[in-house]
Amino acid sequence: MFKKRLFFLLCLFAFPAFSQTAKYTISGFVYEQSSHESLPGVVVANTRTGAGTTTNNYGFYSITLPADSVEMLWTFVGYKPVRKKIMLNQNMQINIDLEGFEQKEVVIEGDQQEKISDNTQMSQVSIPIEQIKQIPALLGEKDVLKVIQLMPGVQKGSEGSSGFYVRGGGADQNLIILDDATVYNAYHLFGFFSLFNGDALKSVELTKGGFPARYGGRLSSVLEMQMKDGNQEKFSGEAGIGLISSRLTLEGPLKKKKSSFLVSGRRTYIDALVYPFLPQENKFGYYFYDLNAKVNYTFNDRNRLFLSGYFGKDKFYAKFNSGQTYEDEAGIDWGNATATLRFNHLWNDRLFSNTSFIFTNYTLGIGYAQKSSTDFFSLRYTSGIRDFSLKHDFDFSPNPNHYVKFGFMTTYHRFNPSAVVVKSSYGPDNLNDVNTLESFENGIYIEDDWRINSVFKANFGFRLSHFNTEGKNYMRPEPRAALRYMVREDMSIKASYAMMNQYLHLLSNTGIGLPTDLWVPATKRIGPQQSQQVALGVAKDLTEQKLMISVEGYYKWSKDVLGYKDGASFFLIGDNGPGSEDINWEDNVTAGQAWSYGAEFLVQRKFGKFTGWVGYTLSWTQLQFDSINFGKKYYAKYDRRHDISVVGIYKINDHITLSATWVFGTGNAITLPLAEYTAAEHTPGSSTGQQTNIPNFYWLFVQDFGEKNSFRMAAYHRMDVGLQFHKKKKYWDRTFELGFYNLYNRKNPFFYYIGEDASGQNRKLKQISLFPIIPSVSWTVKF
Amino acid sequence: MNKLFFASIGFFALLFSSCERDADVDLPETKPKLVLIGFITPQDSFVTVSLKRSKPIFQAYDVNTNDAVTDATVTVFGNNTSVVLPFDATLQVYRISTSQFQILGGNEYRVTVSTPQGESAEATTVVPQNSIDASYALTLTDTFTNLGPGYFWLNTTVQYQFTDNAQETNRYRFYIGLVLVDTLTFDTSIARMTSEFFNDNNGNGQLLSRNVELYWGNFDTNLNDSAYAYDCWVFNVNSDYDNYHKSLYNYSGGEDPFAEPTIIYSNVDGGLGVFAAANGRKIRVIR
């Protein structure tokens, strides 16, 4: 029976090749004209039949069509479409250069627009980098993750934070990848800024559900970012000065159309400005920097090599010199480093492969040192995670109706939950307590984008994931399916199902993305998290209005998600931190279930003088843990009933761009103390026998919180505006930006606490707000 | 350049000067609730119930949370009968001798309270069927160390074992109280030392062995002289007792705005607190 099925499946791919007229393949790469930068996500379509494909992450496409006279169309948001008539009577390689719109409005015909209704993939958003750069931001620091937070189904955490929560999932359930490398802590400045420098990025894509089989390892989302390859045509660059940081990007050819490089750096400088004004005996400061670099070399039309890397660090430091006797130093620093070596190989017109060797490292260090002329003492706590991965992916286009992707990935994880090194002149206190955990994570996958007929298209996939830890093996199948039905030429109904497993857990005391959050692997006792998600949606293109509309409903059920037991705290787990032998972190967490469901509405306009989107999310997220809230279900902190975001970018003319965002979200669900009372512990024995004069109670003063997370903080809303002035100079383009964060000075609550009124007699609920209206200016040149 | 510097300083001052104000939210309307606390065991000499009131945080009520409610009617139902608990003005609790109202393993008991002000509350609990059998045994050693003026140390180590009750999932509590004797009056009192909760981990009918080591850091010479014995209890406790005490031990208030507060377990309808039961055995170890 099995053999028959296998035979049938093989025929499914092979049969069209033999049964129909001769077919030929058009393949090639699509580049940006001015820089010869490869473009991912370009739609390549036969205008007559509608058969089409998109370029992969490396700009490669392959489409096999019956021999005929065909008209092919290459389209991509922000670029002039290219249309070519081809007499298809042999396999041909056609490389295309797309020309950017720049500031001018270009008339686009209906069939040249990107169509949301045509794509099988649902629950996915891509945001053009240029659009990200035009959206106003806190202190003028353009932030990819904060723009992602403006999409429906994505919720921000606390005020100003770059952390995000997708469809009710935790912040740890988002897979953030930069050039194939996982980024474990994506935040600078304690979460207020993300570490992704928009100047170095080529594409940003977020998948919230209906995950293709090539993705795995997280439950809630995949945020995939590609770095630019570097301008192959000419030396160019971009520099910017903002209020808290400056940045510089340089790129250019090393050998024209063969090899290019890109280097992009950013650093804050408030520490350097403040340092001279601090008293000599007390010095403190904070800075972060990051550096992106990439080089590539094209050997020939079939082989290309890329080497890219990211290195970033945050550091807060303080030095105190107390009375000339002792000098104290304390500090916290954290940083990511990634490196990716990729090799593209075109086996033939239909088969493309990429092999990646990936390294990623995240470290956190907390240090304290005291020294005098005679003695010294130093303590350093470090934790981190380091990965080495091998990834091999194939893109195969066997016939017009199938586009198959398959491959594997294997990762060696090395966790360092805690390492404490103490050095002291006092003698026997020296300590070098380092503990590490190792594990292997593997996955193989296959997926097929199958054009069943003119109205049905499907993407079926299967991923088999495996995790080896502490001698235990977890093997989990992960079926994936997505279906699209074209109701009309411009409207489709989509459905998807995805099962996901997550083998890494993030221990977080606050849930706000602090660098002290700690990644740990699934263990013998604490198994992997698993989710299943179904989604159903309608996508509609209004071509005349250049609008894309989508409405999606989803239901996600997760099991074995982790929560802290009541009263447990990261900072209380052992003297040496989690993983120490004092108290194992596994004793302080509990596995439970999560349910998340809702509907998302998005109207988006990606091109034209006026672009932007309106997003609305209606959602519910509930959690249940046996050891939390006495096993009863409760709403998650970031359960958000209503979430609205409005983004508008208007090019007034070639010189001025006006942009604005407005966001609204239901307040976070929190647990608020309502009353105080005297509780008692049972202290037995006191009323037995002869001790009759002592009640058997040990009194304790406590608070009554009502139901867990039953109180809602005030709704969050805010408006930001930005005004960009562009000017073309002889050798460069200059942009000056004036922005206002929180334009109408809304006092959004960051957290609540119980204070007193002016009389000091009555208690009041007080709120702390972080950011009032904050103006910003920045200046950017592009050359 | 000077302008840029002062502008930067100004912005950072603005950025990090957080704004504090009254929260603009509708707070839940909360009234004082009756706080009922009662632990019943077949080993006790009294059935004792404490009754106090809670004090709302955001609404002004003249309540002292330490004051007992003295004018309530407290009735305990069980053993196919009921009894009204009289108020003991000395101890400020409602109680009755178990010679007048017995507590039996396996039975369900209900307590109802009502006050002249119209408040009422009730709770129900079931006493675990089985106590701890005679296999319960322990070895206890303690070391008193005088480390110098004002610095003393008591280190107590206990190894204990007992047979798990078969055919049921059990929750247990081990508790040590230090019996202190007034050397002048010979009155005794009990100082709470330590307590731990655990379950049988599906070890039905097995002999459970555990170790406890505890320290008393400021244990001074006078206390050492008056410390007469250790009362070591193992209780088979019901879920109300277990949930309530664990939530009490894990309790963290709302002081840390980032930490999740702990909700204290309650099985009292119309009020707060707990009415819970245990069934245990004590070994007294004379020092």
Side-chain angles (χ1 to χ4, degrees):
Chain A
M1 190 61 192
F2 175 74
K3 284 183 179 173
K4 281 184 180 173
R5 284 180 184 167
L6 188 64
F7 179 72
F8 173 75
L9 281 172
L10 290 172
C11 287
L12 203 65
F13 289 135
F15 184 68
F18 297 109
S19 63
Q20 296 168 13
T21 56
K23 293 183 175 62
Y24 297 103
T25 301
I26 305 170
S27 63
F29 291 87
V30 180
Y31 303 104
E32 183 184 53
Q33 191 182 56
S34 63
S35 64
H36 205 64
E37 180 91 32
S38 60
L39 290 174
V42 176
V43 177
V44 184
N46 178 350
T47 56
R48 187 141 44 89
T49 65
T53 185
T54 55
T55 55
N56 66 14
N57 281 343
Y58 308 93
F60 174 77
Y61 72 94
S62 172
I63 183 166
T64 302
L65 300 169
D68 199 356
S69 171
V70 296
E71 185 184 64
M72 298 300 294
L73 183 67
W74 290 261
T75 56
F76 191 50
V77 174
Y79 293 84
K80 290 178 189 170
V82 169
R83 192 185 290 267
K84 277 185 188 291
K85 284 189 176 162
I86 298 161
M87 188 60 224
L88 189 60
N89 52 15
Q90 59 179 329
N91 291 339
M92 37 180 81
Q93 184 163 14
I94 302 176
N95 294 340
I96 295 293
D97 288 322
L98 293 183
E99 185 187 352
F101 287 161
E102 298 197 345
Q103 305 291 333
K104 290 177 184 165
E105 178 77 348
V106 172
V107 177
I108 305 220
E109 296 164 26
D111 68 343
Q112 295 174 343
Q113 291 182 18
E114 177 193 3
K115 284 187 178 172
I116 192 174
S117 58
D118 200 40
N119 200 344
T120 321
Q121 177 69 48
M122 62 188 304
S123 310
Q124 191 175 64
V125 288
S126 65
I127 305 168
I129 294 294
E130 282 309 310
Q131 213 171 47
I132 291 172
K133 289 184 175 180
Q134 289 166 340
I135 292 171
L138 176 62
L139 291 164
E141 293 293 314
K142 305 301 182 188
D143 194 326
V144 171
L145 296 189
K146 285 195 181 137
V147 175
I148 288 292
Q149 290 173 352
L150 298 170
M151 303 308 295
V154 185
Q155 282 134 24
K156 63 177 178 51
S158 50
E159 163 92 78
S161 165
S162 292
F164 62 101
Y165 300 80
V166 179
R167 291 186 171 173
D172 62 321
Q173 293 175 358
N174 305 315
L175 178 63
I176 300 175
I177 41 183
L178 177 66
D179 271 4
D180 281 345
T182 302
V183 178
Y184 283 100
N185 185 309
Y187 314 108
H188 284 308
L189 191 57
F190 303 97
F192 287 120
F193 300 106
S194 80
L195 48 80
F196 302 109
N197 178 356
D199 293 348
L201 295 179
K202 177 159 61 177
S203 65
V204 177
E205 191 173 78
L206 177 77
T207 307
K208 303 178 285 184
F211 301 96
R214 60 185 179 275
Y215 295 129
R218 297 290 187 279
L219 299 191
S220 289
S221 80
V222 178
L223 178 63
E224 186 171 17
M225 283 164 284
Q226 295 286 328
M227 278 169 59
K228 283 181 188 171
D229 299 332
N231 196 323
Q232 296 226 0
E233 293 289 334
K234 59 176 184 177
F235 183 78
S236 63
E238 187 169 347
I241 297 176
L243 283 173
I244 65 165
S245 76
S246 286
R247 59 191 203 280
L248 174 67
T249 302
L250 298 172
E251 55 183 316
L254 295 169
K255 190 174 179 184
K256 205 163 184 183
K257 295 207 172 173
K258 277 278 184 187
S259 176
S260 63
F261 77 96
L262 176 136
V263 181
S264 182
R266 183 169 58 150
R267 194 196 189 278
T268 57
Y269 36 64
I270 191 68
D271 57 320
L273 291 171
V274 169
Y275 195 85
F277 298 92
L278 294 173
Q280 194 60 38
E281 61 276 15
N282 295 325
K283 297 282 190 187
F284 56 89
Y286 168 82
Y287 65 84
F288 73 75
Y289 64 85
D290 50 43
L291 180 72
N292 293 271
K294 192 168 185 177
V295 289
N296 70 88
Y297 187 82
T298 306
F299 296 96
N300 50 45
D301 282 349
R302 293 189 176 276
N303 298 293
R304 196 172 182 192
L305 190 70
F306 303 84
L307 176 63
S308 61
Y310 166 88
F311 183 77
K313 192 166 189 175
D314 285 59
K315 182 160 185 165
F316 175 80
Y317 58 91
K319 289 181 185 175
F320 304 100
N321 194 334
S322 54
Q324 314 286 319
T325 316
Y326 286 100
E327 190 175 284
D328 295 280
E329 283 184 35
I332 174 169
D333 57 85
W334 68 99
N336 291 274
T338 71
T340 310
L341 178 67
R342 295 194 280 191
F343 179 64
N344 289 177
H345 179 64
L346 190 59
W347 297 83
N348 56 47
D349 295 334
R350 299 180 185 186
L351 183 62
F352 173 93
S353 77
N354 174 68
T355 310
S356 298
F357 297 94
I358 307 155
F359 166 79
T360 184
N361 187 49
Y362 171 70
T363 55
L364 161 74
I366 300 171
Y368 170 75
Q370 186 181 67
K371 61 181 177 185
S372 68
S373 56
T374 53
D375 295 310
F376 70 92
F377 171 83
S378 73
L379 181 148
R380 183 162 173 84
Y381 165 88
T382 55
S383 68
I385 177 170
R386 178 176 296 178
D387 289 359
F388 295 92
S389 305
L390 170 66
K391 188 166 175 275
H392 200 33
D393 303 302
F394 290 90
D395 286 19
F396 178 48
S397 173
N399 62 53
N401 296 326
H402 292 276
Y403 194 93
V404 182
K405 295 186 177 192
F406 58 98
F408 72 90
M409 181 169 185
T410 181
T411 301
Y412 163 72
H413 298 287
R414 190 168 190 271
F415 302 86
N416 174 13
S418 73
V420 178
V421 177
V422 176
K423 292 178 183 171
S424 168
S425 62
Y426 305 111
D429 290 342
N430 285 346
L431 175 70
N432 196 343
D433 182 7
V434 179
N435 71 67
T436 56
L437 299 165
E438 295 174 343
S439 56
F440 283 94
E441 184 173 2
N442 307 297
I444 56 170
Y445 72 90
I446 183 166
E447 64 177 74
D448 179 19
D449 207 35
W450 179 17
R451 184 183 166 89
I452 300 167
N453 56 38
S454 60
V455 291
F456 276 108
K457 203 172 170 188
N459 185 303
F460 292 117
F462 181 79
R463 184 180 183 91
L464 185 65
S465 61
H466 166 256
F467 195 74
N468 174 278
T469 180
E470 297 180 332
K472 183 172 174 66
N473 289 293
Y474 292 100
M475 181 90 77
R476 298 269 174 96
E478 299 176 12
R480 316 282 173 83
L483 191 66
R484 182 219 66 186
Y485 170 68
M486 292 297 289
V487 182
R488 295 195 326 229
E489 193 184 36
D490 59 357
M491 184 174 167
S492 63
I493 296 173
K494 301 180 185 185
S496 68
Y497 167 82
M499 177 184 278
M500 305 289 280
N501 288 289
Q502 180 167 335
Y503 297 98
L504 307 185
H505 307 297
L506 184 68
L507 302 182
S508 171
N509 198 49
T510 61
I512 58 172
L514 289 183
T516 49
D517 295 351
L518 195 68
W519 286 97
V520 290
T523 63
K524 281 181 187 170
R525 278 174 60 190
I526 307 292
Q529 306 175 50
Q530 187 177 71
S531 76
Q532 296 183 73
Q533 184 180 165
V534 289
L536 181 67
V538 177
K540 166 112 177 102
D541 291 288
L542 296 173
T543 46
E544 275 195 21
Q545 292 83 5
K546 302 168 188 166
L547 291 176
M548 293 185 285
I549 301 172
S550 72
V551 181
E552 285 187 19
Y554 66 90
Y555 181 87
K556 182 162 71 175
W557 171 62
S558 307
K559 64 176 185 177
D560 295 327
V561 295
L562 283 200
Y564 272 99
K565 288 180 181 173
D566 280 342
S569 164
F570 167 81
F571 296 110
L572 296 178
I573 303 173
D575 293 331
N576 298 336
S580 76
E581 290 180 0
D582 302 339
I583 302 174
N584 196 316
W585 63 268
E586 292 166 293
D587 295 328
N588 287 276
V589 297
T590 178
Q593 302 180 82
W595 298 264
S596 187
Y597 47 93
E600 296 164 6
F601 175 79
L602 176 68
V603 181
Q604 190 172 17
R605 196 172 197 263
K606 281 191 175 179
F607 56 92
K609 281 183 85 164
F610 183 70
T611 58
W613 65 86
V614 176
Y616 169 69
T617 308
L618 173 70
S619 64
W620 289 261
T621 302
Q622 288 181 295
L623 304 169
Q624 187 270 325
F625 298 90
D626 289 344
S627 302
I628 299 176
N629 199 33
F630 314 107
K632 289 187 286 184
K633 269 188 184 181
Y634 62 94
Y635 285 111
K637 182 176 181 181
Y638 296 113
D639 166 66
R640 196 150 297 164
R641 197 69 64 246
H642 305 284
D643 191 272
I644 303 170
S645 51
V646 182
V647 177
I649 302 165
Y650 183 61
K651 285 180 181 167
I652 296 170
N653 54 42
D654 284 354
H655 303 292
I656 302 175
T657 305
L658 174 67
S659 59
T661 61
W662 183 75
V663 292
F664 173 90
T666 306
N668 291 342
I670 62 167
T671 310
L672 191 70
L674 304 174
E676 296 163 331
Y677 65 99
T678 307
E681 179 189 347
H682 181 213
T683 50
S686 51
S687 62
T688 59
Q690 68 274 39
Q691 288 104 26
T692 53
N693 58 337
I694 307 162
N696 53 352
F697 299 124
Y698 179 74
W699 301 107
L700 294 155
F701 189 65
V702 296
Q703 290 173 325
D704 170 30
F705 291 93
E707 291 288 315
K708 187 173 178 69
N709 287 356
S710 58
F711 180 76
R712 290 283 172 174
M713 293 173 77
Y716 183 97
H717 55 92
R718 190 191 81 230
M719 176 178 259
D720 309 332
V721 293
L723 199 55
Q724 292 185 338
F725 300 94
H726 312 282
K727 195 160 191 177
K728 270 191 180 302
K729 300 276 188 175
K730 189 174 179 183
Y731 297 108
W732 66 76
D733 295 345
R734 181 271 287 154
T735 300
F736 174 78
E737 181 172 352
L738 175 65
F740 290 91
Y741 179 87
N742 195 5
L743 180 71
Y744 54 81
N745 200 26
R746 160 78 177 171
K747 300 284 193 303
N748 287 302
F750 184 56
F751 63 80
Y752 290 136
Y753 74 96
I754 297 171
E756 292 175 344
D757 65 7
S759 70
Q761 301 297 310
N762 303 307
R763 279 171 297 173
K764 302 280 277 184
L765 189 66
K766 300 273 188 178
Q767 76 169 45
I768 294 289
S769 303
L770 274 192
F771 300 116
I773 178 172
I774 297 182
S776 65
V777 289
S778 65
W779 186 77
T780 306
V781 288
K782 239 177 153 175
F783 50 93
Chain B
M1 192 61 200
N2 278 342
K3 283 181 183 171
L4 179 65
F5 169 72
F6 285 113
S8 302
I9 297 295
F11 274 112
F12 258 75
L14 198 63
L15 173 62
F16 291 111
S17 62
S18 57
C19 170
E20 177 195 296
R21 67 202 293 261
D22 290 348
D24 183 21
V25 283
D26 293 330
L27 292 165
E29 189 60 39
T30 310
K31 292 180 178 173
K33 288 181 183 173
L34 291 173
V35 181
L36 182 158
I37 295 174
F39 305 106
I40 54 174
T41 79
Q43 291 75 36
D44 273 348
S45 306
F46 289 88
V47 176
T48 308
V49 169
S50 157
L51 196 64
K52 299 183 178 185
R53 284 194 178 89
S54 67
K55 180 179 172 63
I57 290 174
F58 302 113
Q59 289 81 23
Y61 284 95
D62 185 20
V63 174
N64 185 334
T65 56
N66 288 320
D67 291 349
V69 177
T70 58
D71 55 356
T73 303
V74 178
T75 311
V76 178
F77 299 82
N79 309 336
N80 297 319
T81 183
S82 67
V83 62
V84 174
L85 271 55
F87 183 70
D88 183 324
T90 309
L91 299 178
Q92 295 285 296
V93 293
Y94 295 84
R95 68 174 187 167
I96 194 166
S97 168
T98 47
S99 61
Q100 292 172 268
F101 187 86
Q102 252 190 313
I103 300 298
L104 301 171
N107 280 9
E108 179 181 284
Y109 295 91
R110 183 164 67 95
V111 60
T112 65
V113 297
S114 59
T115 68
Q117 293 79 30
E119 303 154 294
S120 65
E122 67 173 69
T124 304
T125 200
V126 177
V127 180
Q129 174 78 49
N130 297 306
S131 179
I132 304 299
D133 70 16
S135 65
Y136 173 39
L138 60 82
T139 55
L140 185 149
T141 56
D142 68 4
T143 311
F144 175 73
T145 310
N146 187 340
L147 296 170
Y151 192 31
F152 310 99
W153 188 260
L154 182 69
N155 179 9
T156 307
T157 305
V158 187
Q159 289 180 302
Y160 66 98
Q161 61 180 45
F162 64 97
T163 305
D164 173 48
N165 289 303
Q167 309 303 321
E168 59 186 25
T169 301
N170 297 108
R171 304 158 183 241
Y172 294 109
R173 182 191 192 196
F174 177 69
Y175 175 88
I176 303 182
L178 184 63
V179 184
L180 305 169
V181 179
D182 189 311
T183 49
L184 295 175
T185 65
F186 297 103
D187 285 342
T188 59
S189 60
I190 294 184
R192 180 192 181 281
M193 286 202 71
T194 195
S195 175
E196 66 168 0
F197 283 81
F198 54 96
N199 62 33
D200 60 0
N201 285 326
N202 301 320
N204 265 344
Q206 303 295 308
L207 192 68
L208 302 179
S209 297
R210 297 177 70 88
N211 298 329
V212 176
E213 187 165 8
L214 55 107
Y215 303 92
W216 190 325
N218 57 352
F219 191 79
D220 65 24
T221 310
N222 292 336
L223 267 178
N224 191 44
D225 292 343
S226 62
Y228 154 70
Y230 291 94
D231 275 354
C232 305
W233 287 88
V234 174
F235 284 110
N236 182 8
V237 304
N238 71 6
S239 60
D240 296 321
Y241 191 104
D242 193 50
N243 286 334
Y244 171 78
H245 280 90
K246 282 180 180 170
S247 64
L248 210 57
Y249 287 0
N250 292 331
Y251 177 74
S252 76
E255 296 83 13
D256 181 350
F258 300 113
E260 292 291 316
T262 313
I263 296 169
I264 303 292
Y265 176 83
S266 177
N267 64 345
V268 178
D269 285 342
L272 298 166
V274 74
F275 185 55
N279 198 346
R281 179 180 286 266
K282 180 183 79 176
I283 293 178
R284 171 164 288 186
V285 179
I286 309 292
R287 291 185 81 211

